[in-house]
Amino acid sequence: MARTTLNIDLNRVEGDLEFQVDLEDRVIVDARCVGTMFRGFEQLMLGRAPRDSLVITPRVCGICSTAHLYTAVLALENLGQIPVPPHATHIRNLCLMAENVQSDLRQSFLFFTPDLVHHRYQHLPQAQAAEAAFAPLKGWMVRSTLAATRTLLELVAIFGGQWPHSSYMIPGGVTRPATARDLVDCQDIVARSIEWYEHDVIGDSLEHWLALRHPHELFTWLEQAPRGALGLFTRIARTMGMHHHGAGARHFLSAGSWVAPERPDGLLLPAGIYHGDEARQSAFEPDLINEHVRHSWYRPYPGGRHPYIGETIPDYQPHTDRYTWAKAPRYGDKVVETGPLAELLTGGDELTRLLLARDGPNTWLRQLARLRRAGLTLRLMQDQLAQLAQALSAPHYLPPAEGALDDGEGYGFVQAARGSLGHWLRTDKGRISHYQIITPTAWNASPRDTQGQRGHWEESVIGVELQDPDDPIEVGHIIRAHDPCLVCTVHFTGRGGRHRYGV
């Protein structure tokens, strides 16, 4: 049987990721996730002062810069065993929450749902409503999302002076305390965001939405909230069968969400590994994380290495079975998925767990989890503001001891918009001697590992039948559901020719 290869140029923003799929009779039988550009931020860190990470690493990503700043400062504080006052922790949490919510909403209504107005779906009964809501730059939901998410980011600017690429978190706290005026401004931003979310996204109260616990409650509720974009999306997605596609990995990783010193595990939402096929959760053990380079363009080493002993030394080998600049992170020997779905599963959200048990991991469920997480986060922002109000007169910064960052090693984790983000560093005589970063997309978009296991994205498209290989919109749905912020251009390779198609 003849095999056809499609080369799909992808990425979150910069356009440096390519996704290749092999077809036999229009069915995907193999896939390769190809990172086409070497950036080398870990190499940039070597020899620098430890605090330089607070300026450099937020520039790893222009969408998740708060997440990188937070992770970097947690790694430094772990290295130096530096305490942080609750005043500063609440400010940090609020800013990361705002960044995550705006990313979740923009991904949903600026990157994912516009595909629902594709010409292939004009026969659906919801086609006219989809066009009115989700048409790029014109749909009512697209325009309202742009306005609402700009408002949310004002909260980050209050404390960081700008977004993205802020550097207001420092070892021991933040650069300035919150004031009573800041508190009032933030309360107004969160209140307006919740009002918009209730009116445009869910068409109901936040409390009612978050109180849903069972799939039958969800589907009954969706029929009774016709205005919300969430209901429209769900009706279209399930009519298209998105709940049957995009399974991928069966293990879900979350490093835990938002620091909470008052809780026994120190987190608002717990860390863990949720095993989907067994419906059970195990503890998150950072020592089990390792990275493989068997199919990557890096200097080879055997098996997987923990980030503390890992390396990022380029070794470009074209025309071999190595095919990417991305590494292959693994949790022990397991391929995992990270992101909103994993975060709700490990956080104990009953509705999400029951939907997973019912349908398995799928494209629709990932988008539903993203929008549910946004609502949960908005509610948690209210809680953080209430706690910050009680801490206004408390310190916002505890100066570290002299030399606290000079020698040692440390790591930090946060849940960024796309999932678990980790930084690891080692310092020697006041200089960074080792730095490694594993981003959420590294977990999800990884290549094969030493054992030949495909990465999560690669596995998620296996078995998918393309209605039109010249226009593989099905692949776009599956990959976009992971929030890679991508724009796709599809290539067809065969008989010596190469043709471009827009998706």
Side-chain angles (χ1 to χ4, degrees):
M1 183 178 294
R3 179 173 290 203
T4 300
T5 299
L6 302 181
N7 298 301
I8 308 168
D9 294 329
L10 312 171
N11 198 14
R12 296 165 294 190
V13 175
E14 299 87 357
D16 58 6
L17 185 67
E18 182 179 288
F19 201 78
Q20 299 177 349
V21 297
D22 295 342
L23 302 179
E24 290 182 359
D25 195 22
R26 299 190 303 175
V27 175
I28 297 176
V29 296
D30 204 358
R32 292 163 300 282
C33 203
V34 184
T36 61
M37 184 174 73
F38 174 67
R39 301 183 75 196
F41 266 82
E42 292 96 339
Q43 303 298 87
L44 293 176
M45 301 303 301
L46 300 181
R48 294 182 178 272
R51 287 181 175 83
D52 284 359
S53 65
L54 306 176
V55 177
I56 295 174
T57 63
R59 286 159 173 80
V60 170
C61 179
I63 299 172
C64 299
S65 63
T66 303
H68 278 282
L69 174 62
Y70 204 163
T71 313
V73 77
L74 288 175
L76 292 176
E77 288 162 351
N78 178 257
L79 183 156
Q81 295 299 293
I82 300 168
V84 181
H87 186 146
T89 295
H90 297 317
I91 290 174
R92 293 175 177 186
N93 286 347
L94 282 164
C95 291
L96 179 57
M97 289 172 174
E99 180 176 88
N100 283 2
V101 172
Q102 67 83 27
S103 182
D104 285 346
L105 296 170
R106 289 181 177 181
Q107 184 278 340
S108 296
F109 301 117
L110 304 185
F111 288 90
F112 189 87
T113 56
D115 278 344
L116 304 185
V117 303
H118 190 275
H119 63 82
R120 187 185 300 177
Y121 308 131
Q122 293 305 302
H123 68 284
L124 297 179
Q126 306 91 353
Q128 187 173 353
E131 180 75 24
F134 304 137
L137 303 180
K138 297 185 296 183
W140 64 263
M141 192 61 194
V142 173
R143 290 182 283 110
S144 73
T145 297
L146 282 169
T149 52
R150 281 197 297 267
T151 298
L152 259 174
L153 289 173
E154 292 173 7
L155 188 148
V156 184
I158 287 172
F159 299 108
Q162 66 179 48
W163 183 92
H165 311 322
S166 317
S167 296
Y168 54 96
M169 303 181 197
I170 54 177
V174 290
T175 55
R176 61 173 286 263
T179 66
R181 173 58 186 269
D182 295 334
L183 193 66
V184 171
D185 289 342
C186 290
Q187 289 170 335
D188 178 62
I189 289 170
V190 173
R192 284 187 287 147
S193 298
I194 291 174
E195 181 181 8
W196 171 82
Y197 180 88
E198 291 177 330
H199 186 267
D200 283 12
V201 178
I202 59 175
D204 197 358
S205 71
L206 183 59
E207 290 72 24
H208 192 187
W209 161 229
L210 295 179
L212 298 175
R213 293 289 179 266
H214 196 278
H216 75 79
E217 295 176 0
L218 170 69
F219 294 117
T220 300
W221 174 83
L222 285 170
E223 292 303 318
Q224 297 171 350
R227 172 174 169 75
L230 174 60
L232 176 59
F233 153 70
T234 290
R235 288 188 287 276
I236 298 172
R238 293 184 70 88
T239 299
M240 292 164 52
M242 285 189 186
H243 54 305
H244 297 311
H245 298 125
R250 314 297 290 195
H251 306 279
F252 302 87
L253 177 148
S254 172
S257 305
W258 307 298
V259 176
E262 71 281 1
R263 299 202 176 192
D265 63 354
L267 295 165
L268 287 179
L269 290 182
I273 305 295
Y274 190 79
H275 308 280
D277 289 343
E278 304 164 31
R280 69 175 180 88
Q281 185 160 322
S282 57
F284 173 57
E285 301 180 49
D287 289 346
L288 292 181
I289 294 173
N290 61 98
E291 292 184 287
H292 297 243
V293 296
R294 170 61 186 82
H295 292 276
S296 308
W297 291 316
Y298 294 103
R299 188 170 72 181
Y301 55 73
R305 289 187 177 181
H306 188 273
Y308 274 143
I309 59 173
E311 58 184 31
T312 309
I313 301 175
D315 183 19
Y316 185 50
Q317 300 177 40
H319 313 301
T320 69
D321 61 353
R322 300 175 186 270
Y323 57 89
T324 180
W325 286 112
K327 297 181 184 179
R330 296 291 183 262
Y331 185 79
D333 61 352
K334 292 179 174 60
V335 178
V336 301
E337 174 180 346
T338 190
L341 178 56
E343 193 170 327
L344 293 185
L345 291 170
T346 59
D349 186 71
E350 184 178 358
L351 175 62
T352 305
R353 288 185 173 187
L354 290 174
L355 287 167
L356 182 78
R358 168 181 162 148
D359 295 331
N362 61 79
T363 297
W364 166 75
L365 182 56
R366 290 188 185 99
Q367 284 300 132
L368 182 81
R370 179 166 288 107
L371 291 171
R372 188 165 172 85
R373 181 181 70 171
L376 174 62
T377 306
L378 286 168
R379 190 183 70 181
L380 291 172
M381 291 178 77
Q382 291 179 312
D383 297 339
Q384 290 293 296
L385 284 168
Q387 294 177 50
L388 179 59
Q390 300 300 314
L392 286 183
S393 60
H396 67 285
Y397 173 62
L398 300 175
E402 186 175 352
L405 302 177
D406 285 354
D407 297 278
E409 61 184 24
Y411 66 88
F413 290 103
V414 303
Q415 283 298 114
R418 296 168 185 82
S420 298
L421 170 65
H423 287 209
W424 292 259
L425 84 157
R426 184 177 299 114
T427 61
D428 182 23
K429 298 179 181 178
R431 295 290 165 179
I432 295 173
S433 58
H434 184 82
Y435 210 102
Q436 290 291 302
I437 299 172
I438 301 182
T439 65
T441 298
W443 286 104
N444 290 333
S446 73
R448 286 165 172 77
D449 57 26
T450 305
Q451 287 72 42
Q453 297 182 104
R454 297 184 187 95
H456 167 58
W457 284 3
E458 294 177 337
E459 191 63 36
S460 69
V461 300
I462 301 301
V464 172
E465 182 175 359
L466 302 183
Q467 180 177 324
D468 179 4
D470 290 348
D471 189 8
I473 190 69
E474 298 90 345
V475 174
H477 295 323
I478 293 169
I479 303 305
R480 282 191 176 97
H482 294 87
D483 190 13
C485 295
L486 56 89
V487 176
C488 298
T489 303
V490 177
H491 305 267
F492 172 81
T493 305
R495 297 186 179 180
R498 186 175 178 95
H499 308 278
R500 299 183 75 90
Y501 303 92
V503 177

